[in-house]
Amino acid sequence: MSTMSVQTIRNVFSVETGYRLSDDQIVNHFPNHYELTRKDLMVKNIKRYRKELEKEGSPLAEKDENGKYLYLDFVPVTYMLPADYNLFVEEFRKSPSSTWIMKPCGKAQGKGIFLINKLSQIKKWSRDSKTSSFVTQSTKEAYVISLYINNPLLIGGRKFDLRLYVLVSTYRPLRCYMYKLGFCRFCTVKYTPSTSELDNMFVHLTNVAIQKHGEDYNHIHGGKWTVSNLRLYLESTRGKEVTSKLFDEIHWIIVQSLKAVAPVMNNDKHCFECYGYDIIIDDKLKPWLIEVNASPSLTSSTANDRILKYNLINDTLNIAVPNGEIPDCKWNKSPPKEVLGNYEILYDEELAQGDGADRELRSRQGQSLGPKGGRSRDSGRTVLTTWK
C-alpha cells in the first residue's frame, strides 16, 4: 500500500518508465485523476457528459424553456482562457454587470485567483502575462474564468463553502462513498457583493491557506463548522424539507460529476482515491460544484481537524485495504457495512443497474417538488435510495 503524491503517480504510470504494480500494491490516486481534478478538464468532461445524455435522449438532459438544463446545471458558466476568449466576451456582454472569477487550472489553495468585472481587467492580465494576444496558445499558464456566484448563502453575514470527502474505489462499475464528517469553511470577513471589495480575498475565498492569514481568523475552530451543524442550522431556519432536498442535490451532483469522468478515467484496479469536493450553496439553496481536489489537505489547523483527518485516513484505508491485511487488487472492492466507519455508500453502479435512468429521473423530479409537492415528511431519505 503506497501513499503517493500526484507527481509520483504520474511517474509510476508513465509510458517511459514501463513500471508495473504487482497485485499486492495499491495506490491512492487514479493515473489520470486530473480529468476530474483539473478545473478546466472537469468542466470539459461535464459538458461532454451532458451532450452525450442529450444525444441519447436521456430525460436527465431535459432543459427548460430558456434552454437551461433542469438537472445538470450544477457548475457555474465557465470558459478556458486563452482558448475560449471570444466565447467569454460574447457571454460577458450579455450581462456586463456580472462578476467573474479567474483561476489558474493547475494551482490549489487559492493561489493566483482574482475577480474581475470589466473586460479591461482581462486585457491587462493578458498583457501582464507577456502575451501579445489571446490568439496564440502560448506556453503561458491556462486559466479558467467562471461566473462568480455573487449571491452565496450567508451565515452570520459570512460566505462559506462545503468541503466534502468522497472515496471512489472503482470507476467501472462506479462505486463511491461519502464521508459523513465534511465541514463548512467560513471567510473571516463579512461578505459584500460590492465591487469595491473585489480584491479582498478574505471576503471571497474560503481556502484555509488564505483565511488563516486574516486578522480575524480564529485558531480554535479555524472558521470551520461541521456539516451536521450546517444541517441543524438550515433545518431550524429554512425547514427540514428544503434542507433534505439540498443535501440530496449535493449527493446527486457529486455522483453526476463522477459519472461524467468515468468513461475517460483509467480505471486501474490498483487504484482508489479520496477527493475533496468544494461546493457553494447560493441564497436560493441551490448547490454549485466549484472544484474537486485530488490531494485534499490532510494537515490540521485545529484539534478537531486533527481528529477528523485521522479518522478520514483510517476509514479510507479500511475500505481500500480491508482488515489491514496485505492488499489484493483483485478483490471485488465491496466491503461489508461494518468496516465503513464514517463513510456511507453514495452510489453503487452494480446495484443501480437494474433501476435505469427513469428511476433516477423520478428521484430528481421528486426532489424538485416544492414544499407543497406532496412528499411525505421523511421523503428526503426515500428519494435518495431511488438512485443508489
Side-chain angles (χ1 to χ4, degrees):
M1 159 80 219
S2 319
T3 301
M4 295 196 184
S5 73
V6 168
Q7 196 46 56
T8 319
I9 287 284
R10 213 164 272 168
N11 299 339
V12 165
F13 287 106
S14 79
V15 183
E16 291 78 63
T17 58
Y19 188 76
R20 286 288 163 268
L21 294 172
S22 61
D23 282 357
D24 61 356
Q25 288 179 298
I26 288 180
V27 295
N28 59 322
H29 292 284
F30 287 90
N32 60 338
H33 61 81
Y34 45 80
E35 294 283 357
L36 177 65
T37 57
R38 252 185 78 111
K39 300 171 181 76
D40 51 345
L41 295 179
M42 175 188 87
V43 171
K44 192 184 88 178
N45 282 311
I46 289 172
K47 286 179 177 175
R48 191 205 65 242
Y49 175 65
R50 288 170 178 163
K51 287 214 172 73
E52 283 170 2
L53 286 176
E54 224 171 315
K55 234 187 262 164
E56 290 165 17
S58 165
L60 296 181
E62 199 184 323
K63 292 178 170 176
D64 67 12
E65 57 280 1
N66 304 319
K68 247 183 142 167
Y69 287 100
L70 286 175
Y71 311 115
L72 296 174
D73 174 38
F74 55 81
V75 285
V77 174
T78 299
Y79 295 98
M80 316 309 157
L81 293 183
D84 298 340
Y85 180 67
N86 294 336
L87 286 170
F88 159 68
V89 172
E90 201 179 309
E91 190 63 38
F92 183 92
R93 293 204 165 118
K94 284 184 202 161
S95 46
S97 60
S98 51
T99 298
W100 294 75
I101 185 164
M102 294 269 295
K103 300 178 181 184
C105 290
K107 287 206 173 99
Q109 297 187 317
K111 291 189 190 90
I113 293 180
F114 58 97
L115 274 64
I116 67 138
N117 60 351
K118 296 186 185 70
L119 278 178
S120 57
Q121 292 160 307
I122 284 244
K123 296 207 173 80
K124 179 182 182 307
W125 168 78
S126 160
R127 276 199 307 281
D128 291 351
S129 44
K130 300 184 181 54
T131 44
S132 52
S133 76
F134 275 101
V135 183
T136 54
Q137 178 92 38
S138 64
T139 51
K140 164 173 101 61
E141 190 169 18
Y143 265 71
V144 292
I145 187 159
S146 302
L147 193 54
Y148 183 64
I149 307 291
N150 66 356
N151 62 326
L153 175 67
L154 304 179
I155 295 180
R158 288 174 171 80
K159 178 180 167 175
F160 67 95
D161 75 350
L162 281 183
R163 163 53 62 86
L164 301 171
Y165 297 103
V166 176
L167 170 64
V168 176
S169 55
T170 154
Y171 271 99
R172 291 191 296 281
L174 178 61
R175 187 176 294 122
C176 54
Y177 304 84
M178 165 73 80
Y179 200 62
K180 292 177 205 161
L181 307 179
F183 51 86
C184 310
R185 304 179 296 188
F186 282 86
C187 289
T188 50
V189 177
K190 289 201 169 179
Y191 180 77
T192 165
S194 152
T195 51
S196 63
E197 288 291 343
L198 280 193
D199 294 337
N200 185 345
M201 288 307 149
F202 296 124
V203 171
H204 299 287
L205 294 188
T206 57
N207 309 64
V208 173
I210 285 176
Q211 291 296 336
K212 69 181 180 193
H213 299 296
E215 53 195 50
D216 298 320
Y217 181 73
N218 179 311
H219 289 272
I220 309 294
H221 58 65
K224 289 178 177 171
W225 236 25
T226 62
V227 166
S228 48
N229 270 353
L230 173 69
R231 194 165 195 143
L232 287 171
Y233 171 83
L234 289 175
E235 284 179 357
S236 60
T237 53
R238 302 291 190 103
K240 272 201 155 144
E241 181 111 31
V242 290
T243 304
S244 276
K245 175 176 181 281
L246 166 68
F247 280 92
D248 285 350
E249 289 191 2
I250 290 171
H251 295 159
W252 156 266
I253 66 183
I254 290 171
V255 171
Q256 293 305 311
S257 67
L258 292 170
K259 284 185 166 190
V261 298
V264 295
M265 198 60 76
N266 184 337
N267 187 44
D268 192 292
K269 61 181 184 296
H270 299 272
C271 304
F272 69 93
E273 194 152 23
C274 177
Y275 298 102
Y277 268 74
D278 293 347
I279 306 272
I280 282 186
I281 301 165
D282 70 21
D283 58 10
K284 298 182 177 68
L285 288 201
K286 176 179 168 69
W288 295 91
L289 173 56
I290 302 302
E291 63 183 271
V292 184
N293 298 274
S295 300
S297 162
L298 294 174
T299 52
S300 46
S301 47
T302 67
N304 278 345
D305 220 21
R306 190 165 57 246
I307 297 163
L308 179 142
K309 305 279 173 67
Y310 172 85
N311 287 327
L312 173 70
I313 295 168
N314 193 41
D315 292 347
T316 301
L317 293 181
N318 281 338
I319 294 176
V321 190
N323 310 324
E325 291 165 5
I326 292 173
D328 171 14
C329 70
K330 290 198 166 78
W331 76 290
N332 76 353
K333 298 197 176 189
S334 187
K337 270 215 166 56
E338 359 356 317
V339 306
L340 296 186
N342 286 301
Y343 275 109
E344 51 193 353
I345 186 90
L346 182 60
Y347 185 78
D348 185 330
E349 194 168 18
E350 279 182 317
L351 289 180
Q353 294 275 265
D355 295 358
D358 56 326
R359 288 196 63 182
E360 205 163 337
L361 179 73
R362 274 211 304 286
S363 76
R364 292 296 297 146
Q365 288 171 333
Q367 287 173 42
S368 307
L369 295 173
K372 297 192 176 66
R375 296 164 63 198
S376 65
R377 222 172 71 83
D378 206 54
S379 55
R381 285 289 133 258
T382 52
V383 165
L384 206 58
T385 54
T386 59
W387 56 270
K388 262 188 192 164

